[in-house]
């Protein structure tokens, strides 16, 4: 049997490893973040510890059976969590990377639970490098096809849908959407009043078609009710380099 200190060490290391990956997902506002990744990694480690040491002396051969049997269920069973992070809208699928990171965290937890520290921790930092650095590289490689459109507008129901219809008509594929909401709320002790004309900033990461008439596209966007301005991110950076 392992000492109490070794058990605590393995569980702690797995929580740290899962937290490192989870923080990156949390920072990017993904469906599964810090807590989910920590729990997956920690649970996998515990299952590995149980499978290796929890049944000693209980099996017919006196050794508790084959440890790999219980651990193998983590690899297949983790799929239900990954499936919950995958969203499909039309031809666009989001959440596959997060689902993969959850699955890898299950493997990291099994490795650390088994005492394979080098493999588990090395995988953690490779995963973090893949999520952080390769994402930036991917944007640079596909810079000509992918652009970020920034739209400043007044918040209202159905706004994103109206903008999405225009993009669809122009064969522009939406890859990601981020809404930055600056709530104009005045609060005092007895009253809370919300500004009806709440301004928001919507950032669309889009894949452009081979031919896009830029002027006509922006004319349609600016005609949407509530839209105040629209600009490509690269044009904004040129106008305000600092």
């Amino acid at each position: 049997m392992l000492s109490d200190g070794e058990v605590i060490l393995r569980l702690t290391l797995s929580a740290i490893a899962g937290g490192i990956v989870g923080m990156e997902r949390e920072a990017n506002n993904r469906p599964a973040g810090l807590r989910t990744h920590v729990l997956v990694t920690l649970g996998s480690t515990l299952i590995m510890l149980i499978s290796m040491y929890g049944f000693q002396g209980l099996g017919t051969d006196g050794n508790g059976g084959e440890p790999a049997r219980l651990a193998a269920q983590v690899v297949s069973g983790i799929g239900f969590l990954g499936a919950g992070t995958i969203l499909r809208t039309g031809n666009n699928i989001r959440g596959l990377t997060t689902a993969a990171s959850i699955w890898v965290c299950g493997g990291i937890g099994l490795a650390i639970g088994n005492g394979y520290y080098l493999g588990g921790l090395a995988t953690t930092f490779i995963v973090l490098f893949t999520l952080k650095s390769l994402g930036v590289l991917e944007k640079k490689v596909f810079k000509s096809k992918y652009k970020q459109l920034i739209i400043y507008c007044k918040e209202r129901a159905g706004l994103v849908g109206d903008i999405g219809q225009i993009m669809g008509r122009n064969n522009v594929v939406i890859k990601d959407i981020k809404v930055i909401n600056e709530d104009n709320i005045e609060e005092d002790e007895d009253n809370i009043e919300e500004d009806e004309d709440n301004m928001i900033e919507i950032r669309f990461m889009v894949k452009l078609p081979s031919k896009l008439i830029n002027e006509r596209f922006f004319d349609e966007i600016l005609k949407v009710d509530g839209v105040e301005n629209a600009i490509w991110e690269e044009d904004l950076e040129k106008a305000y380099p600092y």
Side-chain angles (χ1 to χ4, degrees), residues 91-134:
N91 293 325
N92 296 326
I93 298 177
R94 295 186 59 198
L96 284 175
T97 301
T98 301
S101 69
I102 290 176
W103 182 77
V104 171
C105 278
I108 291 171
L110 292 176
I112 294 176
N114 188 44
Y116 186 33
Y117 299 125
L118 178 61
L121 295 178
T123 300
T124 300
F125 290 105
I126 292 172
V127 169
L128 184 63
F129 172 80
T130 300
L131 294 174
K132 295 284 289 184
S133 302
L134 293 188

Side-chain angles (χ1 to χ4, degrees), residues 16 26 34 63 143 171 175 188 199 224 233:
I16 293 173
E26 189 84 38
L34 176 62
N63 295 319
K143 191 174 182 180
N171 295 319
K175 305 299 291 185
D188 55 40
M199 294 298 296
V224 175
E233 183 184 37

Side-chain angles (χ1 to χ4, degrees), residues 162-181:
D162 292 344
I163 296 172
Q165 287 182 1
I166 293 173
M167 292 188 179
R169 288 199 298 268
N170 287 273
N171 295 319
V172 175
V173 179
I174 300 173
K175 305 299 291 185
D176 190 29
I177 301 176
K178 289 184 179 179
V179 179
I180 301 174
N181 190 350

